[in-house]
Amino acid sequence: MIYFEDLPLGEERTYGSVTVTRDEVIDFARKYDPQPFHLSDEAAARTHFGRLAASGWHTCALAMGVIARAVVHEEQAGLGSPGLDELRWLKPVYPGDTLTVRSTILDKTPSRSKPDLGSFRTRTRVTNQGGVDVLTFTSIVLIRRRPRI
C-alpha cells in the first residue's frame, strides 16, 4: 500500500497511455457533449478542428481512467479529490491519438484536523503521440497516512 509518507515531492510519474477511438468519441459526445464537431465529420470539417474531435471532457475522463487504473493497481491509499485547478485544453484530440498521462507532485500537506489523512497537489500533463500537451490540470488528492502501530 502506498501512503502519504511514501510520495516524494517533485517526482514525475507516468501512469500509462490510452488510444482514442472514433466510436468512443461519438458515444461520449452523444451522451455528454452533443456538439456537432464531436458527432460528425462533416460538421467538424467546417470548424477550426478540421475533422471529428474528442470533447475536452472526454479527454479528462480518459486521463482519469488511466490514473485510476494505475493507482488501484498499485494499491495507493487515495480517497478521492476535492477538486481541480487550472484545467486547460491546449490542443484538439482526435480519434487515433494515443494519450500519455504524467503527473508531478507539487506539494504535500498533512491534515490538521484528521491526523490519519493528508493531501497532495499534482500537476498533470496529458500528451499526444507527438509529445504535444493536449490537456493540463492541477489536482488535489486526499490520501491516508501510514497507520501508526
Side-chain angles (χ1 to χ4, degrees):
M1 183 74 64
I2 296 174
Y3 293 98
F4 174 83
E5 291 79 7
D6 302 321
L7 301 171
L9 285 176
E11 176 183 73
E12 181 179 81
R13 166 135 189 253
T14 300
Y15 289 102
S17 299
V18 62
T19 299
V20 181
T21 71
R22 177 183 173 74
D23 288 345
E24 288 176 335
V25 167
I26 293 170
D27 187 50
F28 186 95
R30 279 188 186 130
K31 291 177 184 175
Y32 307 110
D33 193 357
Q35 298 183 75
F37 44 83
H38 299 317
L39 294 167
S40 158
D41 292 309
E42 296 76 23
R46 294 188 299 270
T47 70
H48 65 287
F49 294 115
R51 58 187 168 122
L52 187 73
S55 165
W57 294 113
H58 185 194
T59 304
C60 290
L62 289 166
M64 187 63 222
V66 169
I67 293 167
R69 282 186 286 280
V71 299
V72 166
H73 176 74
E74 71 183 11
E75 298 182 353
Q76 189 179 97
L79 296 170
S81 172
L84 300 173
D85 294 316
E86 304 168 13
L87 173 67
R88 297 288 182 267
W89 293 295
L90 303 169
K91 297 285 182 187
V93 171
Y94 299 108
D97 282 353
T98 297
L99 307 178
T100 300
V101 184
R102 296 175 182 84
S103 292
T104 302
I105 297 175
L106 302 175
D107 55 50
K108 297 170 37 173
T109 307
S111 174
R112 291 183 201 139
S113 61
K114 297 179 181 173
D116 59 331
L117 296 181
S119 65
F120 62 97
R121 286 187 326 121
T122 64
R123 181 72 176 156
T124 300
R125 295 176 47 232
V126 179
T127 57
N128 65 18
Q129 64 280 356
V132 175
D133 286 351
V134 298
L135 169 68
T136 60
F137 58 88
T138 301
S139 62
I140 305 157
V141 180
L142 302 176
I143 188 168
R144 289 183 190 95
R145 296 191 69 187
R146 185 171 301 289
R148 296 179 187 183
I149 300 172

